[in-house]
Amino acid sequence: MSLLVIGSVAFDAIDTPFGSTGKIVGGAASYISLATTLLHDKVGLVAVVGEDFDFDFVDDLKRRGVDVEGLQIKAGEKSFFWHGKYHMDMNSRDTLVTELNVLGDFDPIVPQSWQQPEYVMLGNLSPQVQMTTLNRLTQKPKLVVLDTMNFWMDIALDDLKAVLAKVDVLTINDEEARQLSGEYSLVKAARVIRAMGPHTLIIKKGEHGALLFGGSDEIFFCPALPLEDVFDPTGAGDTFAGGFIGYLASVGRTDFEAMKMAIVYGSAMASFCVEQFGTTKLASITRDELNGRLAQFKALMSV
Ligand code: AMP
């Protein structure tokens, strides 16, 4: 099944209690695409970078089978840049810098061959661009998943609500679910948010796992794998989303039972992402290693 991914492809700088990086490759769609390629082989990317970007990374995506025809390269412009600093608990972080650069006026061009994808992952980006991308599809996809963050709730809430009305699944973290719904209880928050459009909601709780709300008021929980080393949680949410939709696209399903397995895949993928800075670890894992992690999850979750 064809899977279209949009989102930021960026430079990040990351400070954690274990050290800091200089400028490294990041961005929501970078993590999502890498995660999907381990599960699925028909992935197309729509994104934008400046001419300063690291094109070895783009070559790596191509080698992994990602179709990058929809990746625009803006001459004379700079790539999106984000600088984040994690607190001691590694669960919360502050954004120190967001430079939109090429994202500021990004017009997502969906190549003709990608205008009828079966699965769509709208990664973190301006909700207006997410909406434009959906409007440029010529056939309704089987499943549209959207990821967003507090930044867009703060500056573009109306646009976000408009696009939420058009998607099937929303993934956000617990703090963002509370901000979007105005409810402290995550059960109440899920009810409010599902009434905004998405029939299914995933609330990510960092090292405390993820909740899946769907069907007729069904709830499923997947823990996060307790890890010895956590260096950098950046991109864990995007990797999770990539694993989630990559699994669903690989089995061609969209039902609640398949989504339960999909959040286990997403969590297994995310568990790799946090073990090294940036995309390094995610880019190195094999299908066998993923299978090993899935077995660890099975053991963790069975009684
Ligand atoms: P996550 O840790 O899953 O929330 O995702 C982190 C990634 O999101 C980083 O690699 C950033 O480049 C990217 N990012 C941060 N802020 C934004 C934003 N406002 N729009 C799009 N992408 C962003």
Side-chain angles (χ1 to χ4, degrees):
M1 301 269 168
S2 51
L3 166 53
L4 180 69
V5 174
I6 73 150
S8 51
V9 172
F11 280 129
D12 289 346
I14 298 155
D15 300 333
T16 80
F18 302 107
S20 300
T21 68
K23 258 190 181 181
I24 58 170
V25 168
S30 304
Y31 287 100
I32 295 168
S33 308
L34 275 177
T36 57
T37 55
L38 210 61
L39 301 168
H40 194 60
D41 58 7
K42 208 165 169 217
V43 180
L45 174 65
V46 168
V48 64
V49 292
E51 68 177 11
D52 59 345
F53 196 61
D54 175 353
F55 291 99
D56 287 344
F57 180 77
V58 178
D59 288 341
D60 188 34
L61 288 182
K62 279 195 222 164
R63 262 195 306 277
R64 290 162 189 271
V66 177
D67 183 344
V68 297
E69 194 190 338
L71 177 69
Q72 300 172 43
I73 301 161
K74 294 280 177 181
E77 293 189 45
K78 283 167 77 179
S79 303
F80 175 74
F81 174 67
W82 176 79
H83 184 178
K85 182 181 167 92
Y86 286 87
H87 301 173
M88 259 327 277
D89 66 1
M90 295 282 267
N91 250 353
S92 50
R93 72 182 178 204
D94 295 324
T95 290
L96 303 183
V97 181
T98 298
E99 287 174 9
L100 290 178
N101 298 327
V102 284
L103 274 194
D105 59 356
F106 176 35
D107 182 23
I109 296 168
V110 182
Q112 205 174 3
S113 55
W114 280 98
Q115 288 173 4
Q116 300 191 341
E118 283 144 315
Y119 290 76
V120 177
M121 180 67 229
L122 300 173
N124 192 9
L125 259 189
S126 123
Q128 228 178 6
V129 173
Q130 292 174 320
M131 181 70 113
T132 304
T133 307
L134 278 187
N135 289 340
R136 289 182 175 168
L137 305 181
T138 54
Q139 186 177 291
K140 192 173 160 30
K142 271 180 86 164
L143 190 80
V144 179
V145 179
L146 182 141
D147 185 51
T148 189
M149 72 188 296
N150 49 359
F151 179 82
W152 301 112
M153 291 175 197
D154 292 340
I155 68 164
L157 187 59
D158 288 344
D159 290 338
L160 179 61
K161 284 187 173 166
V163 70
L164 279 182
K166 305 221 172 268
V167 308
D168 301 299
V169 182
L170 170 66
T171 72
I172 44 176
N173 69 31
D174 42 1
E175 200 182 317
E176 291 156 352
R178 291 186 169 116
Q179 178 172 346
L180 184 60
S181 65
E183 292 285 355
Y184 179 80
S185 150
L186 294 181
V187 175
K188 285 185 183 160
R191 207 166 290 134
V192 172
I193 294 169
R194 290 178 69 198
M196 293 177 181
H199 58 66
T200 304
L201 172 69
I202 297 169
I203 300 183
K204 300 166 285 180
K205 290 160 63 65
E207 64 170 331
H208 305 297
L211 287 161
L212 173 70
F213 296 86
S216 50
D217 258 349
E218 286 170 83
I219 306 180
F220 177 71
F221 174 69
C222 178
L225 195 66
L227 295 168
E228 285 207 30
D229 296 313
V230 175
F231 276 104
D232 174 17
T234 308
D238 309 310
T239 304
F240 173 95
F244 174 80
I245 198 163
Y247 172 78
L248 291 175
S250 72
V251 294
R253 289 171 59 184
T254 60
D255 54 284
F256 191 72
E257 285 307 307
M259 286 193 192
K260 286 183 182 176
M261 187 55 89
I263 74 166
V264 179
Y265 270 77
S267 303
M269 288 283 197
S271 74
F272 287 113
C273 173
V274 302
E275 288 182 321
Q276 284 179 23
F277 280 104
T279 55
T280 318
K281 182 68 184 258
L282 196 55
S284 76
I285 54 173
T286 62
R287 185 66 217 213
D288 278 352
E289 285 174 293
L290 174 63
N291 289 343
R293 280 278 153 104
L294 290 168
Q296 282 179 278
F297 269 88
K298 207 171 161 200
L300 188 67
M301 294 171 79
S302 44
V303 282

